[in-house]
Amino acid sequence: MKPARFDYHRARGVADVLGALADDPSGETKVLAGGQSLVTLMNLRLARPARLVDIGGLSELDRVFDDVDRVVLGALVRHRTLETDPLISTRLPLVAAAARHIGHVGIRNRGTVGGSLAHADPAAELPMAMVALGAVVHVESAARGRRPIPAERFFVSHFTTALAPDEIITWVEVPALRPGQGWGFVEYAPRHGDFATAGAGCVLTLDAGGRVSGIRAALLAAADRPLLVSVPDEVLGERPGERLWERLGRRWGRAPLGAEALAEALCAAHRRAVGEDA
Ligand SMILES: Cc1cc2nc3c(=O)[nH]c(=O)nc-3n(C[C@H](O)[C@H](O)[C@H](O)COP(=O)(O)OP(=O)(O)OC[C@H]3O[C@@H](n4cnc5c(N)ncnc54)[C@H](O)[C@@H]3O)c2cc1C
């Protein structure tokens, strides 16, 4: 099928995009980034925006900044960059691993961080990774300027976010992996590149004695949005090991595949935290 008729505007800068969205209170103007989700929906006529503002060429949002304890990703950073950039593999290895599981390479060449987060598919890899890592999504509008939204509050329900119709995602601030931390990412999908049926991502922090001092984890395809798994304080100070991971998986992983994915991700995170696995 072909999309319904629409007007097309190639944005010249962030202010231009925000102006175009502010000028259309009907909310029928949509931002086009990599087009990998929106164009498919338009072709199926499940989305019928009256106007597209194409932000795909805005190089100012296609940048990565390394800061002391975090990495800041522009909304237009492609999945392929996340997968191949050595800085991302070193500082945000969970993000790099998640990106490798998105569709096929042609999709990853075009799809963007901002597009994936704004699309908010509960089975998508990047939204789950951002919740697991405690990322902050920075959004901007002409009327209200910038506001930061913690990832766990950004995702509201199936394909629904905290973005207002006149806002765009500009940057995503992601805490970098620290010494003493390990990460895990596990997903089950019919074939590599298919949307996942279950999956989990986590960051495990160990204290100087090798005991658990923090766990942050999230699940995909387990609810109407990426699900933050809150691990209670009673786990802190425990000795890490298979029995603990299985217990946490059973209790928080949502049976049965989510539980397995979570336990496996925690086990991988522990191996990495103690330097047994690259
Ligand atoms: C065959 C196929 C397989 C796929 N498999 C997977 C998969 O396994 N896992 C996965 O996670 N994804 C998968 N995808 C989707 C892919 O990751 C998309 O790239 C992503 O979901 C959307 O990114 P995009 O840049 O293409 O956004 P677009 O399609 O351009 O836009 C998507 C939505 O986000 C909005 N948007 C885009 N950028 C911004 C912004 N900066 N601020 C505010 N709103 C914005 C648009 O208005 C639109 O509503 C697949 C896609 C295809 C076609």
Side-chain angles (χ1 to χ4, degrees):
M1 265 171 89
K2 286 185 180 165
R5 282 182 66 85
F6 59 89
D7 291 335
Y8 174 87
H9 173 66
R10 187 185 295 272
R12 293 181 301 273
V14 170
D16 183 30
V17 184
L18 300 183
L21 292 174
D23 286 348
D24 178 11
S26 72
E28 294 205 4
T29 299
K30 276 276 194 188
V31 162
L32 176 72
Q36 299 304 291
S37 297
L38 182 54
V39 172
T40 308
L41 291 176
M42 288 172 67
N43 285 341
L44 294 168
R45 302 216 172 184
L46 293 171
R48 292 169 175 248
R51 188 170 196 230
L52 284 188
V53 178
D54 187 350
I55 62 171
L58 297 184
S59 54
E60 64 207 270
L61 293 183
D62 188 6
R63 295 192 189 153
V64 176
F65 294 100
D66 191 13
D67 203 344
V68 181
D69 55 356
R70 66 203 172 128
V71 177
V72 183
L73 304 170
L76 288 174
V77 171
R78 267 53 184 187
H79 306 328
R80 185 75 177 143
T81 304
L82 300 178
E83 179 188 357
T84 56
D85 185 333
L87 170 76
I88 307 291
S89 300
T90 312
R91 302 267 287 151
L92 307 178
L94 173 50
V95 171
R100 280 183 207 114
H101 285 78
I102 299 175
H104 307 288
V105 74
I107 293 156
R108 298 199 293 273
N109 276 331
R110 300 191 68 89
T112 65
V113 176
S116 178
L117 302 190
H119 189 56
D121 187 325
E125 287 82 0
L126 289 182
M128 182 273 271
M130 297 305 175
V131 170
L133 287 165
V136 176
V137 184
H138 291 263
V139 308
E140 198 166 333
S141 67
R144 296 172 305 283
R146 296 179 191 171
R147 66 181 178 119
I149 312 176
E152 66 262 31
R153 284 206 270 115
F154 180 79
F155 301 103
V156 173
S157 185
H158 294 107
F159 306 104
T160 307
T161 68
L163 271 173
D166 63 345
E167 279 176 329
I168 63 165
I169 299 170
T170 44
W171 302 95
V172 186
E173 191 184 326
V174 196
L177 198 72
R178 298 197 311 269
Q181 289 187 324
W183 62 277
F185 175 89
V186 170
E187 86 164 38
Y188 305 135
R191 289 166 306 186
H192 186 92
D194 284 358
F195 272 100
T197 47
C202 68
V203 176
L204 167 72
T205 311
L206 298 179
D207 65 19
R211 290 179 182 263
V212 175
S213 72
I215 294 178
R216 208 180 145 102
L219 302 170
L220 57 71
D224 59 352
R225 58 189 178 280
L227 202 62
L228 178 65
V229 176
S230 38
V231 178
D233 288 350
E234 74 205 36
V235 171
L236 304 183
E238 283 211 33
R239 190 173 290 286
E242 296 280 344
R243 284 170 63 181
L244 177 60
W245 313 142
E246 277 167 23
R247 200 178 94 213
L248 292 177
R250 275 198 309 277
R251 191 145 157 209
W252 287 284
R254 303 267 167 129
L257 282 180
E260 249 177 81
L262 180 58
E264 264 190 61
L266 286 164
C267 186
H270 181 226
R271 282 200 309 274
R272 291 186 176 106
V274 297
E276 283 176 10
D277 204 350

